[in-house]
Amino acid sequence: MRNKTLVVGCGRLGAAIAAEASVKGGNVVIVDKNAVSFDRLSDTFSGYKIVADLTDIAALEDLGPKDFKEAVISTGNDNLNLFIANVLEKVYEVPHIYVRFDDPDKSLLLKGYSNIMPIYPFELSHANYLKLKSEAAKK
Amino acid sequence: MKIVIAGGTHDAEYLVQMFNTRKNKLIVINNDPVESNLILKREKVAVYTGDPWRYYVLEESGSKNADILVSLLDNDVDNYATCILAKNCFGIKKCICVVNNPRNVELYKTLGIDTVVSATYLLGQTVKSESSVEDLIKTLSIENDKIIMVEVPVLAKYAIAGKKIMDIKFPKYASISCIYRDPTVVIPNGQVELKVRDKLLLVCAPEDEKKLRAFITKEKED
């Protein structure tokens, strides 16, 4: 049954999202290739912490990817994020996939993938800067 | 042909040597400045230094509409991203992706990359075909495993030996494309008799290979 949330990459963003989902009662699995990264997780997190390198498809299979209803992918490697997102949609048909990309050009590679929702910190920062600037100009 | 060689060390140099002829236009991209310099010095070709999975790198290096791109980076996912970018945004006709993990061969193909090469995978395939030489049957796959060609010698103990093709009820899912009867090649028809030591070249779909082998190697009942 699809009832789990997968979070890949336990950085600041991954850790925050995983903790939130867990507090709300979600069934959360967080994966990082370094066990040390899990130190970032708050004590309220009650899901599974798994040390694995998802460049290897076998590691992804071990997680039981058919049980995921959503996935949040935010490792520091754009190419890895792209690959995991593509596999989760094409092979395991995960319905909601949120992916962070540092390089906004990655949007060009998501044609034909309707379940993947990209997040670009660059664009968010840029939009925020413009907003703050226009507010400052009004003062 | 316009060929893009992305990443790599000695393997990239080898390919540059092989394809750096007047007929080809080579575009060499390397993400390591040291390696870029080495290739430039040894092979006397221009090398663009940059990460080939980035849009601007493929754009500025002039890779658009190339015939072939070979991605030789160390990391499987980097090769994946490079090939997908080349395919989706630059109209590159054939992308060849080199991977370390043999399990990625099938996976990358399902994700849309034309050709995926893994040394370990090839090694496995070689071992497989060498081990079936033991029973003298060789298999060759064509069109990404959609068609296979099987080479079988006719042994005296086989039920089909010494019979005409029209008499052996040859199965519909396969065909005998030719018969090698040293030193000549015989084009088969119903009247041709299968002789001992003939080599049959058979074509069929991979899922029928086992059935076909079983049919051909069925022994005479006495």
Side-chain angles (χ1 to χ4, degrees), chain B residues 137 148 150 152 169-174 202 204-218:
Chain B
I137 300 174
I148 59 163
V150 189
V152 202
K169 291 194 191 116
F170 195 79
K172 287 214 170 64
Y173 51 78
L202 309 160
C204 71
E207 57 269 24
D208 296 323
E209 187 194 348
K210 270 197 178 150
K211 271 194 288 180
L212 179 65
R213 279 170 183 243
F215 174 80
I216 298 289
T217 56
K218 202 165 73 187

Side-chain angles (χ1 to χ4, degrees), chain B residues 101-119:
Chain B
N101 183 347
R103 291 206 51 193
N104 284 338
V105 173
E106 294 304 320
L107 182 64
Y108 284 17
K109 279 185 197 166
T110 52
L111 295 173
I113 298 171
D114 309 302
T115 308
V116 188
V117 183
S118 149

Side-chain angles (χ1 to χ4, degrees), chain A residues 56 61 79 83 86 105 108, chain B residues 53 78 80-81 101 103 108:
Chain A
D56 184 7
E61 263 171 15
N79 292 343
F83 168 68
N86 286 176
D105 288 340
L108 302 163
Chain B
W53 58 84
D78 292 342
Y80 172 75
N101 183 347
R103 291 206 51 193
Y108 284 17

Side-chain angles (χ1 to χ4, degrees), chain A residues 12 18 25:
Chain A
R12 230 181 292 272

